[in-house]
Amino acid sequence: MATAIERIGLRVSYGLRQGPRMAWYLAHGYAMGRLRRMAEEKHPDAVRPRTATRPTPDRDRLWRDLGTLFVRDLANIEAGIYPMPNDHDGALPERFDRSRAFFLDLPEIFQRRREDAHQEVFSDEFRGKFPRYYLQNFHYQSDGYLSEGSAKIYDLQVEVLFNGTANAMRRQALVPVYEALKGRDQRKIAFTDVACGTGRFLRAVTDAFPGLRPTGIDLSEPYIEEARHHLRRRGRARFLVANAEALPLADASQDVVTTIFLYHELPPKVRRIVAREFARVLKPGGTLVLMDSLQLGDVEDYDGLLEMFPSGFHEPFYESYTREDLTALFGEAGLEPVSSGAAFVSKVMAFRKT
C-alpha cells in the first residue's frame, strides 16, 4: 500500500502531466471559438445550430464534472487499475505540426457548417466501396474519415472538443477491461478493439495490460495507418481494415471486445447488426465494453447539450442514439448487462455473453 508521501508524489506527477496538456487543448478551443465568431459575423445569414429546449449545465457545473473525471482517473491509477498515463501526444515538433494543420483546416469546417454541407465524401471515388451511412463529413471535418490529413488531426480535434478530457474519458473503459482480465494470463487473452480509429485507446490498453496482443479493426485505411504509426513501438498489436458489420474474426474467438465512440455514428438498423457481430465473435462468458456519448436521461441537466450536439457537428444518427435502449439492444443479441456509468459527457457500459 502506498505511503502518504508516495500518494502525494503520485498526485503531483499527475497534475504536472494533465494540467499543461489540458491547457494546450483549452487554448486551441479558445482560439477556435474566436475564429468561429469572427467567421459568423461575416455571414450573419448562415445556417445556425439549433438551440436547446431541454436543460443545459452551466459553466460551473461543467467544470465541476470535468474535475470529477480527473479525480476518478487519478483514483484508478492509485488503485493500480492502470498506470500513470503517458498520453503520447507526440514531441513538440509533431504537436506544432498537427496544430498548424488543425487551424489551416478550420475555415473549411466553418464553411461546411454555415452551408450545412456534409456529403463531400459521397463521391465516385468512394461510392460503392463503403456503406452509404459512412460517407459523411462527420463533424463537418475535411474528407470525413477517408484521408491521411483527416487522420493526422482527428485526435487534436476530439481533444479540443472535449477540453482535453478525451483520453481521460477513454481510460474509464479500462476499468471493466481490468475486471474482465483479473486473475487471467493476459498472453492467452483474445482482445479486439472495433472501430479503433487512430489507436489511442489501444495504446492505453497496451500500457495498462502489457501482456495482451490486441487486434484493432477499423473501416478507414488512413486511420489504421495512423494507428500503426502511433503504436509503432508496440509490436504486439495487429490491425485489420474491415467493417464492423462483418468482422473478420471466427465465431466464439474473442475474450474481450471493446468499441469506443462508434455507436452514435451508426444508423439504428446497423447498430443491431454490429451487436450481433459482437455476440458472434465473443466466447461464452466473454466481455463487451462499450464507450460512447451520454444518452437522454443519463445525467441531470445534460440533455440540452445532447440535443444541440448533432446539428452543430453533423452527427446524423446521434439523436436516435440518444434515445436508444442499449441494454435491450444488446440483450436481443445475447449480451447481458454487467455495469454502466457516466464519465463526464460519456458513458461506459459492460456486457457479458450469456
Side-chain angles (χ1 to χ4, degrees):
M1 187 174 180
T3 66
I5 293 177
E6 288 172 334
R7 286 196 300 272
I8 291 172
L10 189 68
R11 293 172 185 182
V12 169
S13 177
Y14 181 84
L16 290 175
R17 290 170 184 243
Q18 295 302 313
R21 182 176 188 273
M22 185 177 172
W24 170 258
Y25 292 114
L26 285 172
H28 280 71
Y30 176 77
M32 182 181 70
R34 291 291 300 270
L35 292 171
R36 184 178 64 241
R37 286 190 291 274
M38 290 168 60
E40 289 172 350
E41 289 171 1
K42 294 180 180 179
H43 301 274
D45 298 327
V47 175
R48 292 285 188 268
R50 68 188 184 194
T51 56
T53 61
R54 297 179 174 89
T56 58
D58 60 27
R59 187 180 298 272
D60 289 344
R61 170 71 185 276
L62 281 170
W63 282 110
R64 285 199 305 272
D65 290 350
L66 185 152
T68 298
L69 171 68
F70 284 117
V71 168
R72 183 191 302 181
D73 194 34
L74 178 58
N76 291 337
I77 296 165
E78 291 179 328
I81 295 173
Y82 46 80
M84 177 71 71
N86 183 343
D87 288 284
H88 307 288
D89 293 316
L92 276 178
E94 183 179 3
R95 294 175 68 179
F96 282 120
D97 185 44
R98 292 178 190 271
S99 179
R100 178 177 176 272
F102 169 82
F103 283 111
L104 288 175
D105 190 48
L106 283 179
E108 294 188 34
I109 292 177
F110 294 159
Q111 182 175 346
R112 290 190 196 96
R113 183 177 284 128
R114 286 197 305 269
E115 299 172 357
D116 196 26
H118 43 70
Q119 299 296 310
E120 292 175 5
V121 292
F122 184 52
S123 64
D124 292 339
E125 180 183 0
F126 300 121
R127 200 174 308 179
K129 299 179 182 179
F130 298 93
R132 174 66 185 94
Y133 64 83
Y134 190 71
L135 295 178
Q136 312 262 354
N137 293 79
F138 289 104
H139 314 157
Y140 294 109
Q141 65 191 29
S142 298
D143 305 320
Y145 294 130
L146 296 172
S147 77
E148 182 180 325
S150 169
K152 177 180 178 180
I153 63 175
Y154 173 77
D155 292 294
L156 176 55
Q157 291 171 324
V158 172
E159 288 287 5
V160 171
L161 173 64
F162 292 127
N163 295 326
T165 67
N167 275 356
M169 286 192 291
R170 290 188 187 106
R171 285 194 291 271
Q172 306 319 299
L174 295 174
V175 178
V177 173
Y178 171 85
E179 294 297 331
L181 299 183
K182 192 182 297 184
R184 303 172 69 178
D185 186 344
Q186 295 176 13
R187 297 169 298 176
K188 298 178 180 179
I189 297 295
F191 180 104
T192 295
D193 185 35
V194 178
C196 68
T198 59
R200 263 49 183 182
F201 180 67
L202 270 179
R203 184 63 182 258
V205 167
T206 58
D207 284 346
F209 312 110
L212 287 179
R213 298 180 63 87
T215 297
I217 296 177
D218 200 273
L219 190 51
S220 170
E221 189 164 353
Y223 277 61
I224 285 287
E225 287 305 312
E226 178 68 19
R228 285 195 178 103
H229 172 76
H230 187 57
L231 279 84
R232 61 191 180 278
R233 294 187 178 88
R234 301 296 177 93
R236 298 185 304 279
R238 69 166 183 157
F239 295 96
L240 302 171
V241 178
N243 190 336
E245 297 177 68
L247 295 172
L249 302 170
D251 294 356
S253 62
Q254 303 298 302
D255 296 285
V256 179
V257 171
T258 59
T259 187
I260 312 295
F261 295 133
L262 167 66
Y263 254 61
H264 73 276
E265 293 190 343
L266 298 178
K269 181 180 178 180
V270 178
R271 289 178 205 137
R272 285 151 178 79
I273 295 171
V274 174
R276 290 194 293 270
E277 275 295 276
F278 291 158
R280 178 184 67 80
V281 304
L282 278 170
K283 298 176 181 178
T287 298
L288 167 69
V289 177
L290 176 145
M291 182 175 193
D292 215 302
S293 165
L294 291 173
Q295 294 179 286
L296 292 174
D298 281 340
V299 177
E300 186 179 2
D301 295 339
Y302 273 67
D303 287 354
L305 289 182
L306 308 184
E307 182 184 359
M308 291 188 295
F309 182 73
S311 65
F313 293 89
H314 183 62
E315 289 285 4
F317 313 114
Y318 185 86
E319 185 173 3
S320 69
Y321 162 81
T322 62
R323 301 175 185 277
E324 185 77 75
D325 185 340
L326 294 177
T327 299
L329 184 154
F330 287 107
E332 292 169 3
L335 301 171
E336 61 182 13
V338 175
S339 62
S340 179
F344 191 32
V345 293
S346 299
K347 67 189 300 180
V348 179
M349 304 181 75
F351 298 87
R352 182 178 294 113
K353 183 175 179 179
T354 56

